[in-house]
Amino acid sequence: MGGNVSSTNFQPDYKPYRLASPFSELEHSYDVVVIGSGYGGSIAASRAARAGLKVCLLEKGKEWRPGDFPEKELNAVKELQMTVHNEKKGYGNSTNLYDLIVSPDVAVLQGCGLGGTSLINANVGLDCETRIYDDEVWPQAFRDDLEKFTTLDRDRVYDMLKPTEYPDNHLDMDKLPKMAAMEKAAKHIADIEDLEYDKILRKVPLYVNFKNKEENHVGIPQPACINCGNCCGGCNTGAKNTLNMNYLPDAKAHGAKMFTEVEVKNITRDEKTDSWRVHYVHHGQDAFENRERVVRAQVVILGAGSLGSTNILLQSKNNGLELSSNIGQRFTTNGDALGFSYNGEDKIRPAGKEVPKVRKRRKGPGPCITSVIDMRHRTDKGLGESYVLEDGTPPCSVDVPYKFLLRWVDSGVDTTPGENDWREWGRHLVGKGWKNSLAFLSMSNDDSSGELKLDPKNGRVWVHYPKVGEGDNFQVVKNGMTHATTALKGYFVPNPFWGGLAAKIRDTKGIVTVHPLGGCIMAESGKDGVVNHAGQAYKGDTDELLSGLYVMDGAVMPRCLGVNPSLTIAMVAERCMRLMAEQRGWNIDYASTKKIDLSLTATPNKPGIKFTERMVGKMSVGNKSSDSDFILTIETQDVEKMISEDPSHAANIYGSVSIPALSDSHLTVSNGHFTLFSKSDGKHHTREMTYRMLLTSNEGQTYYFEGVKVVSKDSAFEIGLSDTTTLNVSLYKGEDNKGDVVGTGRLHIRVKDFIKQLGTMVVTNTTSPLQRLKWKTKFGNFFAGCLWEVYGFAGSPDTAFNPNAPPREKRALKLDDVVPKVHKVSTKDDTELLLTRYEGGTKGPVMLVHDLGMSSRIFVVDTVETNLLEYLVSKGYDVWLADWRASILLPSHKEKSTLDDSAKYDIPALVDKILEVTGSPDIQVMGQCGGSLLVFASLLSGQLEGKIRCLIASQVAFFTHPEKSTWKVNVPHLLYGDGLTAYTDTEVGWKGRFVNRLFETAADLSTEFGEHCSNSVCHRVTIMYGRLYEHDNLSKDTHDNLHEQFGFCSVAFLKHMSKCFSKNYLVSADGKNIYLPDHNKKKPLESVDYMARMRYLNLPILFINGEDNRVYDPKGMDQSYERCKEANPEQDYQRKTSPGYGHIDSIIGKDAVLHVFPKLLPFLDKYAEAGSVVKYTPQKKQSIVPELTVKGDMTDSSLAHAYHYGGEDESMHAQNGDSQVGNGHTTTHENGSNNNGHQFSWHKHGRQGGMRDRSPKNSPRNSPRSSPRSSPRASPSGSPDLGRRESLAPINEPQ
C-alpha cells in the first residue's frame, strides 16, 4: 500500500517494529562493517547493501522508535549520559540517548542510538555557502568534483531525506507565532544592515513529513507533523525523517544487519588474511566483565561522528595501527551559539508540548526550527562575519529548566529600556514572561583550531579548545541576537556558559555545540590530515592508503561549515560511497525500489527473555592445561514457546570464551545454540543442557565448542544447584563437531556468579511491566526451581495481589559479600524441606523457624529498611532459614500434616543437616509463633537433646493461652474442606469477592476502628489467625504486599492449633497430653514423667513477645517461663516483652530493627559460640530411675532420669555478679557454696503481681546472665519445689 492517508488522527503503531537484529545473529565476519548509524554510517550501510554486499552495522546506543522518547524532565534525565574531562566515572549508562561530553571550554551534546544524532537534531537541511568550498583546506580532488557533489550526490540525499519547508496553513493554522517573531527580527536586522529583509529571511528545508502516509518511499508508515516542537527531544509521532525512517530501513531491506548496544573500542589489521578486526564490547549485560570481542571484515567504515570516529582511531593508533599523527586535529564547534529573547511583547509558544496535549488542543509551537535569518551572502563581509540565526523550540522535556533559567538565573538585559517596563515587570513577576520568549540558534565560522584528545581516566575524547569563545565570530552572533531581541522588545539572555552566570563564575566563555566537526579531516596526505578526499585512511603521515579503512561522517570535515551540517555530511558520505564503489568495482543499485517488509521487522507478539552466565574451570588442550571460563548470554525471542512448546527448549547464545591454552585472546562466540533441559538419550529421569557454538580467535582460527550439563531432576520442586552448574566440554577444530578434538574440560558456576546470572534476566519484546514480571518469574521458576525464590529479584506472580498493577521489584538484600546457599533436606517420611544459609560470620549457627501459613520470607522481607536476616548477618552470624513442611514455598504445605509430624521429622532433620554441614556440636534456634511451638514439641519429645545451644521463643511457648481467638482457627475448616488461604487478588470471581466481603466485615467487627483497612489479604489473615500486627507498625509497602507473606494453611494444622488453643497448652493432634504429662497435677514436680520432659528444656531460653499481642495472651509465655524456672532453677531463662508491638510485627515491623531485634542480640551473643553453655555438675548425686515408659507414643531411655528437690521455697544460682531479678518478686537470701567453690544464693521469696515484663529496657530483669546449663540441683529437704514461681536476684540487690 502507498499514498497519503486523509485522517488527521493517523498514528501508526511503531511498537512491534525493530530494525536491529537480535545480537545472537551477529556472525564472525562480513564484507563490510559499518561503525555508527548517523548520516555517514546509515548512508554507507544503505549503499553497501544495495551493492549486494554482506553488511553489518554496529551502533553503541539503543534502538528508539516513535513513542519511546521521554517527554518528562525526570525521564529525560534518566536518558542522559555525561562525561566530564579528567573524571573517571561519568553519569548515566553509556547507551543513554543524550550524550553530553563536558570539557573546559567546550561541551558537546550528541545523540546516541540507532540513527545517531538525527534522533535529536532539528532536522534542518541547509546547504553550505559556496565560499566554504573555496577554502584550500579541502583536497584538490574534492574541489574538482564539486559539480557532481552538489548535484548528483545532493540529489541522492534529497531523494532519501525529503527536505521540505514548513507548509503555509499546516493543520489549518495561521502563521506560527515564532515565525511571525522571526519576521519582525529580520526586518529590524535588515534595517540596521541596510538589507532587504526578504533576502535574508526564509523558511528552512526540514527533514519532516507534513502529510500522512500509510507507506513512505522505503515502506515505513509516517504521519504528518502535529507541531509538538519536540524534534530535539525525540519525535514521538514518527513525522520526523530521522535516519530510521529512510536510509536505515533501506539498508535492512537490501540485506544489511544492524546490532545495537555495541561499542567499538578499536580496529586492528590482519595482514595474513588482508582483513580488519573490529574489537567491540556489547552492553547487553553489565553484571559480568564486559570483554572485548571481534568481528572481521574486508572493509570497515567509520560513521560514529566526530568524537566517536576520532576516539576509535586514537585507540587504534595506541594499539599499534599505523595512522596519521593528525588524528584529533582541526576540531571545530561549527560556531554554534545559543541565546534567548525573554519577556517580549508577543506570546510565542516557547517550548515543545507533550504529544497527547497537542493532539487535544492542536496549538503546538511547530517544528524545532522553521525559519532562518541568513547572514551568509553579504559579499562585503568575510566568512568571519557570516552566520545564520534560526528560531529554536526546546523540547518539553527541558521545559522546567528552561523556565528556571530565564526567570531566576538570568533575566537578561532589557533591549528597549523605558518601553512597557511595568508591563514587562508584571509578566516576569507572575511567571508569564517566559511565554513571550524565543530561543535563537546560530552557526558561524570559528577558526577550526580545536583538538580532540584521549582522556586516560575515562577512555573518551575531550575537546581542547582554549579561548574558543573569545572568537570574533561569537561577538558578531551576539550582536545579531541582540538586534533580533530588540525587535521583539525583549530582554536578551546569552548562553549562560558563554556570557551568563556560569561564564562569569568560571571566567571562561564556554561553548556548547551540537554540531562537532573534524578530528579525522580529509587532506592531501597523512602529513596534513587523516583520510583522503574519498574518506580512505592514510597509512601514517604518508600519502599511502590503508586498504579497506574509511571514515565518512562529520569527522572528515576540514573546517567549520557555518550552517547546520547534516546535509553536507550526507552529501560527503554519498560521494565517498560513490567513489568507493568505482574503486572496488561494486555496482550500487540506486534504481532499486525495494521497500522494507515490515512483517519481517515486527517482533514476536510473545515476550522473549535473555540472561547472562559465567562459568569457570579447567580446559586441557594437548599437553597444556589452563584456567578457563566463558561469559555467555542466552536469548530467545519467544519464552513461552521455549518453555512450553519446544521440547528442546532452545535458545541462541553469544559471548566470549577464554582458554589461554588455546589462544591468548578471548574467543568470540557466533552461531551459538542452547537447549535447556532437553531429554537425555538413554538416560532415565535425566535431562541435558547443551551449549554448541562457533569460536573465533583474534588470529582467525575457528573452533567448535560443545558442552553438556546432565541434570538429574530428582526433586519435586528443585533443580539441584550442583546439577545446573557443571558443564562437560569438548572442543573441536573447525566449524562443527566433525573435526579433531583439540581440547576437553569441565566448567562450573560459582554461587556468587549464579546469583548475578539470575539478576541478569531481562524480558524482551514487551513494554508491559506485568508481562515482564510474569515471564521473568515463569522462566526463573522453570530454570532454577526453588532457587529462583531465594535468588530471584522480582515478586512471584503467584502473589500478585493486583495482577494489573505494575510489578514490584524487590530491593537487593544488604548482605555485602555474603552468598546464600540452598540445602535440600529430606525427612524420614520423604518430605522435602529447604535450608538457606547466609554465612555472615562465625557466630551461631542460628536457625530461624517461621510460622504456619507463611515461609522463611518473613525473615527477609524487603519492604523494611533492615530485616532480621540482614540484622543478624551484619552482627556476624551464620544464619540458616528453615522452610519446614508448612512453608508456602513448598508443595508439602497443602498436605494434611500436623505439628506432631513436623516435630518428629522436620525439626530434627533440619537441625541434623546444619550440624552436618557446619560441624558444630549444637546450634542456636529462634522460632516465630507456630515455629516456636514446633521447636518446643520437638524438644519435649526428646528429638533434640544436646543439639540446641539456646532457644528464642517468639510470641508463644508450650502454654498457649489464646486471646479470644480460639474460634478463629475453628471456623476455617468448617468453611473449607482442605484448609484456608490468606491469598486473594483483585481478579477473583463473585465467590471470592463474596468471601472477601464476608471476611472484611468479620475483621472489622473483631478489631478497633483504627485497625480497619481495605486490604483483603489483611482481612483474611485476621480471621484465620487473629490480629497479627499493629497497622502503624507496618510500612505501607509491607501492608500492600502481605500476599507475598501469607498463603494456604492446611486444615490439619488448623485443627491441631485449635486443640492447643482449647487446652491452653501444647497437645498432640488428637488432643492428648503427650508433651507435658502431669503438668496439671497439684505437684507436677513430683511427676517423673513431667520432670523427664522438662529436663529436655534445660537449656538457655529467651521468652519474648509483643506486649500488645492479640493472638496469644502473654500469660502463656509467663507460665512457660515460670514452669522452666521451677523445673530447672539454675538455668538461664529470660523473659522480655516488646512494648507497642503485637505478634508478627515484631519480625516484619518497619522499626523492629530499632525496638525488637536489639532485645534478641545480647542473648544470642551470650551463647554465640559452640560450647558456650557449660553443663552444671550437681553437688549431690541424683537418683536415677532405670527405665520409664511414658504416656503416649514416645519412649526413650533418657526419660528415665528423675530429679528430686529439697526446700519447698528455695532455689539456687551462681553468685557471679550477674544482675537478674524476677519481676514482681521479693527475695531473701542465704549464702552457701557447692563443692566446686562457686558461691550460691538461696532465695526465699513470694510472688508480688503478674509476670508480664513491664520493666525498663536496662532493668536487671532484662540483663543477660551467664549461668551454666545444668541439671536441677537437689534441695536440702530432698523434696521438689512445687508451689512458687522463682526468680534469681543478685545477692546485694536491695529488697
Side-chain angles (χ1 to χ4, degrees):
M1 291 184 292
N4 296 337
V5 180
S6 59
S7 172
T8 57
N9 295 320
F10 175 61
Q11 179 57 58
D13 180 11
Y14 293 102
K15 289 181 180 178
Y17 303 140
R18 291 284 191 281
L19 293 176
S21 298
F23 189 74
S24 56
E25 295 181 9
L26 180 65
E27 299 182 35
H28 64 89
S29 66
Y30 292 86
D31 296 329
V32 178
V33 168
V34 178
I35 303 167
S37 59
Y39 289 98
S42 296
I43 290 171
S46 166
R47 300 324 187 191
R50 280 177 174 260
L53 300 168
K54 185 179 178 183
V55 179
C56 161
L57 182 146
L58 304 178
E59 166 57 46
K60 175 185 168 185
K62 297 170 285 190
E63 180 170 2
W64 291 83
R65 299 153 303 169
D68 291 343
F69 297 98
E71 293 190 342
K72 300 287 188 183
E73 289 85 356
L74 291 179
N75 292 336
V77 170
K78 291 177 183 177
E79 280 301 327
L80 173 67
Q81 55 168 307
M82 182 168 66
T83 306
V84 179
H85 169 55
N86 214 28
E87 290 188 11
K88 184 174 182 180
K89 189 174 182 181
Y91 171 85
N93 294 326
S94 60
T95 58
N96 285 355
L97 176 63
Y98 308 111
D99 186 7
L100 180 63
I101 301 94
V102 181
S103 303
D105 292 271
V106 177
V108 178
L109 177 64
Q110 57 190 8
C112 180
L114 189 62
T117 300
S118 80
L119 297 173
I120 62 168
N121 71 359
N123 0 292
V124 175
L126 284 172
D127 288 289
C128 278
E129 63 170 312
T130 56
R131 288 189 296 169
I132 293 292
Y133 300 127
D134 293 337
D135 193 330
E136 293 185 358
V137 72
W138 297 90
Q140 186 63 50
F142 180 87
R143 284 179 280 142
D144 291 344
D145 196 32
L146 281 176
E147 183 178 352
K148 283 187 178 179
F149 176 69
T150 55
T151 55
L152 178 61
D153 298 323
R154 184 179 184 276
D155 289 346
R156 285 170 177 165
V157 173
Y158 257 65
D159 285 343
M160 293 298 286
L161 297 181
K162 308 290 185 186
T164 307
E165 293 181 357
Y166 184 83
D168 293 333
N169 300 317
H170 178 57
L171 301 179
D172 298 323
M173 294 173 61
D174 294 332
K175 183 179 293 185
L176 294 173
K178 66 175 185 174
M179 295 182 74
M182 287 293 285
E183 187 172 328
K184 280 187 178 182
K187 288 180 178 179
H188 185 69
I189 292 173
D191 287 344
I192 294 173
E193 298 286 345
D194 194 22
L195 299 169
E196 295 181 34
Y197 94 92
D198 57 350
K199 299 284 185 169
I200 61 173
L201 176 69
R202 66 187 181 98
K203 295 179 181 178
V204 295
L206 297 173
Y207 313 136
V208 176
N209 183 55
F210 293 104
K211 293 181 179 179
N212 291 319
K213 295 180 180 178
E214 196 171 69
E215 192 177 81
N216 71 5
H217 57 294
V218 297
I220 301 290
Q222 276 192 279
C225 174
I226 63 170
N227 283 353
C228 70
N230 294 321
C231 307
C232 290
C235 179
N236 276 324
T237 65
K240 181 179 171 182
N241 292 335
T242 54
L243 292 164
N244 48 18
M245 291 291 172
N246 36 72
Y247 277 110
L248 288 172
D250 181 74
K252 188 175 181 72
H254 289 87
K257 291 282 188 178
M258 303 169 211
F259 301 95
T260 55
E261 298 183 80
V262 181
E263 181 179 357
V264 173
K265 292 295 188 179
N266 61 83
I267 303 164
T268 57
R269 178 71 176 164
D270 187 346
E271 296 293 351
K272 291 182 180 179
T273 59
D274 190 26
S275 64
W276 294 95
R277 292 181 291 254
V278 177
H279 301 258
Y280 67 88
V281 293
H282 181 237
H283 290 291
Q285 66 84 22
D286 297 315
F288 298 99
E289 174 190 358
N290 213 349
R291 293 174 173 169
E292 282 191 8
R293 297 170 229 171
V294 171
V295 61
R296 305 171 76 88
Q298 297 300 309
V299 174
V300 173
I301 302 172
L302 280 83
S306 175
L307 276 65
S309 293
T310 302
N311 191 329
I312 292 169
L313 289 190
L314 282 171
Q315 299 279 13
S316 302
K317 184 175 177 63
N318 289 347
N319 278 283
L321 184 60
E322 194 173 358
L323 293 166
S324 169
S325 60
N326 287 293
I327 301 174
Q329 300 298 315
R330 292 196 63 79
F331 173 83
T332 171
T333 66
N334 201 41
D336 283 2
L338 177 66
F340 309 92
S341 169
Y342 170 65
N343 198 7
E345 66 177 348
D346 299 318
K347 290 184 179 180
I348 296 181
R349 301 176 197 163
K353 295 184 178 181
E354 295 174 33
V355 168
K357 293 180 180 179
V358 177
R359 290 192 187 283
K360 184 177 180 180
R361 299 175 185 174
R362 301 191 66 184
K363 283 193 176 181
C368 176
I369 296 173
T370 54
S371 51
V372 59
I373 298 174
D374 194 341
M375 306 296 289
R376 297 179 297 163
H377 304 292
R378 296 173 294 172
T379 56
D380 59 329
K381 304 287 185 180
L383 285 175
E385 296 181 75
S386 170
Y387 69 93
V388 293
L389 189 65
E390 300 165 348
D391 61 286
T393 302
C396 61
S397 57
V398 297
D399 177 273
V400 171
Y402 184 26
K403 289 178 183 176
F404 182 78
L405 166 68
L406 295 183
R407 187 178 181 194
W408 300 110
V409 178
D410 192 343
S411 300
V413 177
D414 190 355
T415 58
T416 56
E419 294 186 36
N420 301 316
D421 287 352
W422 284 102
R423 185 175 296 176
E424 292 167 357
W425 181 83
R427 286 196 301 264
H428 174 73
L429 186 65
V430 299
K432 292 186 177 180
W434 174 77
K435 293 184 178 180
N436 295 30
S437 301
L438 178 65
F440 296 118
L441 305 174
S442 178
M443 281 126 274
S444 59
N445 290 277
D446 62 21
D447 62 8
S448 306
S449 63
E451 182 180 0
L452 296 177
K453 296 184 176 184
L454 269 179
D455 191 327
K457 288 196 173 181
N458 54 51
R460 301 196 72 183
V461 293
W462 64 282
V463 181
H464 178 65
Y465 207 159
K467 304 296 184 181
V468 58
E470 304 288 347
D472 292 340
N473 60 300
F474 292 109
Q475 187 60 48
V476 170
V477 168
K478 180 196 173 185
N479 293 339
M481 290 182 177
T482 303
H483 295 326
T485 303
T486 301
L488 303 180
K489 298 183 179 181
Y491 288 69
F492 175 64
V493 181
N495 173 3
F497 294 98
W498 183 82
L501 181 62
K504 294 173 184 176
I505 292 173
R506 297 172 64 244
D507 193 26
T508 299
K509 288 188 173 182
I511 299 299
V512 178
T513 179
V514 293
H515 302 132
L517 300 173
C520 302
I521 68 166
M522 61 172 68
E524 299 292 356
S525 75
K527 292 179 181 180
D528 305 307
V530 180
V531 299
N532 72 351
H533 69 100
Q536 189 170 359
Y538 287 115
K539 185 175 183 179
D541 290 347
T542 70
D543 56 4
E544 184 180 350
L545 297 170
L546 291 171
S547 176
L549 181 60
Y550 296 83
V551 182
M552 49 184 72
D553 55 26
V556 305
M557 301 301 158
R559 61 152 294 131
C560 183
L561 300 179
V563 73
N564 311 71
S566 60
L567 178 61
T568 306
I569 293 172
M571 291 164 58
V572 168
E574 285 281 13
R575 177 179 182 273
C576 288
M577 290 306 297
R578 167 170 59 85
L579 297 178
M580 185 190 302
E582 292 174 3
Q583 179 191 34
R584 291 184 163 268
W586 299 346
N587 178 27
I588 299 176
D589 186 2
Y590 291 107
S592 171
T593 58
K594 184 177 182 180
K595 296 181 178 181
I596 191 169
D597 185 348
L598 290 180
S599 66
L600 298 180
T601 69
T603 54
N605 292 327
K606 296 180 180 179
I609 200 163
K610 66 178 181 179
F611 63 92
T612 302
E613 75 173 347
R614 183 186 186 197
M615 300 191 76
V616 301
K618 292 278 189 182
M619 288 290 296
S620 297
V621 178
N623 58 2
K624 287 183 172 180
S625 179
S626 62
D627 293 333
S628 304
D629 70 354
F630 68 50
I631 298 175
L632 300 178
T633 296
I634 290 90
E635 181 177 39
T636 177
Q637 299 300 308
D638 187 344
V639 63
E640 183 176 21
K641 178 180 178 181
M642 179 188 182
I643 294 174
S644 306
E645 301 174 17
D646 182 359
S648 67
H649 311 296
N652 296 320
I653 303 173
Y654 55 86
S656 66
V657 179
S658 175
I659 309 175
L662 189 68
S663 174
D664 292 336
S665 61
H666 298 307
L667 298 138
T668 301
V669 173
S670 59
N671 300 332
H673 299 281
F674 170 77
T675 63
L676 179 63
F677 305 147
S678 58
K679 290 184 178 179
S680 177
D681 295 336
K683 296 180 181 179
H684 190 54
H685 294 310
T686 61
R687 292 178 178 268
E688 291 181 346
M689 297 168 67
T690 63
Y691 298 70
R692 295 182 173 92
M693 49 200 169
L694 185 65
L695 307 182
T696 306
S697 70
N698 281 4
E699 298 76 28
Q701 296 295 319
T702 56
Y703 304 93
Y704 188 75
F705 180 105
E706 190 170 59
V708 179
K709 299 177 185 176
V710 178
V711 180
S712 300
K713 295 184 68 175
D714 56 356
S715 167
F717 61 89
E718 181 184 12
I719 299 163
L721 184 58
S722 60
D723 287 340
T724 58
T725 57
T726 302
L727 183 73
N728 297 306
V729 177
S730 297
L731 200 62
Y732 302 88
K733 189 173 184 179
E735 299 190 359
D736 55 35
N737 59 4
K738 303 292 193 300
D740 295 335
V741 175
V742 295
T744 58
R746 174 173 287 189
L747 305 177
H748 64 274
I749 296 180
R750 296 173 297 192
V751 176
K752 65 179 182 180
D753 288 336
F754 185 75
I755 296 171
K756 286 185 181 180
Q757 173 178 334
L758 295 182
T760 64
M761 285 189 184
V762 176
V763 176
T764 59
N765 305 338
T766 178
T767 58
S768 164
L770 181 65
Q771 286 291 309
R772 287 200 297 266
L773 177 66
K774 172 185 174 182
W775 287 107
K776 184 176 182 179
T777 309
K778 276 194 173 186
F779 181 81
N781 284 318
F782 174 73
F783 174 68
C786 71
L787 299 177
W788 175 253
E789 180 63 41
V790 176
Y791 299 127
F793 293 91
S796 167
D798 297 331
T799 56
F801 179 63
N802 181 355
N804 296 317
R808 185 183 78 82
E809 291 288 331
K810 291 184 178 180
R811 70 166 172 84
L813 296 182
K814 297 179 292 185
L815 298 173
D816 295 326
D817 294 327
V818 175
V819 177
K821 294 189 72 173
V822 177
H823 296 268
K824 293 187 299 182
V825 179
S826 294
T827 66
K828 291 182 179 179
D829 68 340
D830 295 327
T831 301
E832 291 188 331
L833 316 176
L834 279 185
L835 276 169
T836 309
R837 183 185 191 184
Y838 295 83
E839 194 172 0
T842 58
K843 294 180 182 179
V846 57
M847 179 175 75
L848 306 184
V849 187
H850 62 80
D851 199 356
L852 288 167
M854 304 187 76
S855 71
S856 62
R857 283 176 180 166
I858 61 169
F859 305 117
V860 294
V861 58
D862 69 312
T863 50
V864 296
E865 183 66 25
T866 302
N867 57 48
L868 182 56
L869 169 67
E870 292 169 324
Y871 180 80
L872 293 177
V873 166
S874 72
K875 302 301 181 183
Y877 276 88
D878 182 6
V879 184
W880 293 72
L881 304 185
D883 281 282
W884 51 288
R885 69 183 62 206
S887 169
I888 61 174
L889 300 183
L890 309 181
S892 58
H893 80 283
K894 294 189 177 181
E895 297 175 2
K896 293 182 179 180
S897 299
T898 66
L899 290 174
D900 298 335
D901 301 322
S902 302
K904 183 177 181 180
Y905 299 113
D906 295 6
I907 298 300
L910 293 166
V911 171
D912 287 345
K913 184 66 174 180
I914 297 174
L915 297 179
E916 172 195 336
V917 174
T918 64
S920 177
D922 50 25
I923 70 169
Q924 299 173 285
V925 177
M926 175 179 173
Q928 166 64 23
C929 186
S932 174
L933 200 64
L934 176 61
V935 174
F936 275 114
S938 196
L939 279 166
L940 288 167
S941 60
Q943 302 283 336
L944 304 174
E945 188 173 19
K947 298 178 181 179
I948 306 302
R949 191 184 314 152
C950 69
L951 169 65
I952 296 178
S954 176
Q955 310 311 318
V956 69
F958 47 90
F959 283 97
T960 58
H961 293 271
E963 179 138 331
K964 300 179 182 180
S965 57
T966 304
W967 68 275
K968 290 170 185 168
V969 293
N970 283 318
V971 171
H973 63 262
L974 297 177
L975 293 176
Y976 294 88
D978 295 327
L980 193 69
T981 181
Y983 177 74
T984 184
D985 63 44
T986 56
E987 298 300 310
V988 295
W990 71 267
K991 290 182 180 179
R993 291 194 297 272
F994 172 77
V995 172
N996 287 344
R997 180 57 61 89
L998 178 67
F999 280 12
E1000 179 181 5
T1001 302
D1004 288 349
L1005 291 173
S1006 63
T1007 58
E1008 298 91 336
F1009 178 78
E1011 292 294 318
H1012 295 179
C1013 70
S1014 59
N1015 188 318
S1016 295
V1017 174
C1018 183
H1019 302 152
R1020 286 180 175 239
V1021 166
T1022 301
I1023 298 307
M1024 288 176 68
Y1025 305 115
R1027 200 173 104 194
L1028 294 181
Y1029 39 77
E1030 301 293 307
H1031 274 75
D1032 287 344
N1033 287 341
L1034 301 188
S1035 70
K1036 182 180 184 300
D1037 283 344
T1038 300
H1039 186 259
D1040 290 347
N1041 293 282
L1042 288 172
H1043 52 278
E1044 296 179 358
Q1045 301 296 334
F1046 295 95
F1048 179 85
C1049 187
S1050 77
V1051 68
F1053 278 123
L1054 291 171
K1055 285 182 176 180
H1056 194 168
M1057 290 295 292
S1058 178
K1059 291 187 183 296
C1060 294
F1061 277 5
S1062 63
K1063 297 282 188 178
N1064 289 338
Y1065 60 88
L1066 180 61
V1067 298
S1068 65
D1070 56 6
K1072 293 180 180 179
N1073 185 9
I1074 67 171
Y1075 295 106
L1076 296 167
D1078 298 335
H1079 79 277
N1080 49 4
K1081 285 187 175 181
K1082 187 175 181 180
K1083 296 183 179 182
L1085 298 184
E1086 293 182 347
S1087 167
V1088 174
D1089 288 358
Y1090 173 76
M1091 288 304 299
R1093 297 297 173 141
M1094 293 302 292
R1095 166 66 183 84
Y1096 290 127
L1097 302 185
N1098 187 19
L1099 70 155
I1101 302 176
L1102 168 61
F1103 299 85
I1104 185 169
N1105 62 272
E1107 201 168 83
D1108 298 323
N1109 194 321
R1110 302 302 177 87
V1111 180
Y1112 295 98
D1113 191 321
K1115 71 182 181 181
M1117 290 290 270
D1118 292 340
Q1119 188 175 358
S1120 300
Y1121 167 76
E1122 288 297 321
R1123 287 300 185 99
C1124 284
K1125 293 299 298 180
E1126 289 172 347
N1128 305 301
E1130 285 74 39
Q1131 190 51 263
D1132 182 12
Y1133 298 116
Q1134 299 182 24
R1135 181 74 178 94
K1136 296 182 181 181
T1137 62
S1138 301
Y1141 283 81
H1143 189 75
I1144 200 169
D1145 49 349
S1146 295
I1147 302 296
I1148 65 174
K1150 59 187 177 184
D1151 294 322
V1153 65
L1154 302 177
H1155 304 141
V1156 182
F1157 301 167
K1159 292 177 179 286
L1160 312 178
L1161 190 63
F1163 182 78
L1164 287 173
D1165 280 350
K1166 185 174 180 181
Y1167 303 106
E1169 304 299 329
S1172 58
V1173 179
V1174 182
K1175 290 196 174 182
Y1176 170 72
T1177 304
Q1179 182 177 0
K1180 294 182 180 180
K1181 186 177 181 180
Q1182 307 301 308
S1183 61
I1184 299 176
V1185 179
E1187 188 173 353
L1188 177 67
T1189 302
V1190 188
K1191 295 178 182 179
D1193 298 331
M1194 302 180 186
T1195 303
D1196 194 300
S1197 60
S1198 62
L1199 299 182
H1201 296 270
Y1203 302 93
H1204 300 279
Y1205 296 82
E1208 184 172 286
D1209 293 314
E1210 298 171 338
S1211 66
M1212 178 189 75
H1213 76 88
Q1215 187 174 320
N1216 56 10
D1218 292 338
S1219 52
Q1220 279 203 353
V1221 61
N1223 188 34
H1225 288 64
T1226 58
T1227 309
T1228 59
H1229 306 278
E1230 295 179 16
N1231 293 330
S1233 64
N1234 67 1
N1235 58 355
N1236 293 323
H1238 294 292
Q1239 295 295 312
F1240 291 88
S1241 171
W1242 296 84
H1243 305 262
K1244 294 180 181 291
H1245 49 114
R1247 186 175 185 221
Q1248 293 181 347
M1251 289 299 296
R1252 292 185 72 176
D1253 183 359
R1254 310 294 183 191
S1255 56
K1257 180 177 179 181
N1258 296 320
S1259 68
R1261 164 77 179 270
N1262 286 330
S1263 300
R1265 74 182 274 231
S1266 56
S1267 62
R1269 185 193 300 183
S1270 63
S1271 301
R1273 189 181 191 279
S1275 65
S1277 68
S1279 61
D1281 175 4
L1282 302 178
R1284 305 253 168 82
R1285 295 173 180 165
E1286 302 168 347
S1287 78
L1288 306 176
I1291 291 187
N1292 59 355
E1293 181 182 356
Q1295 300 299 315

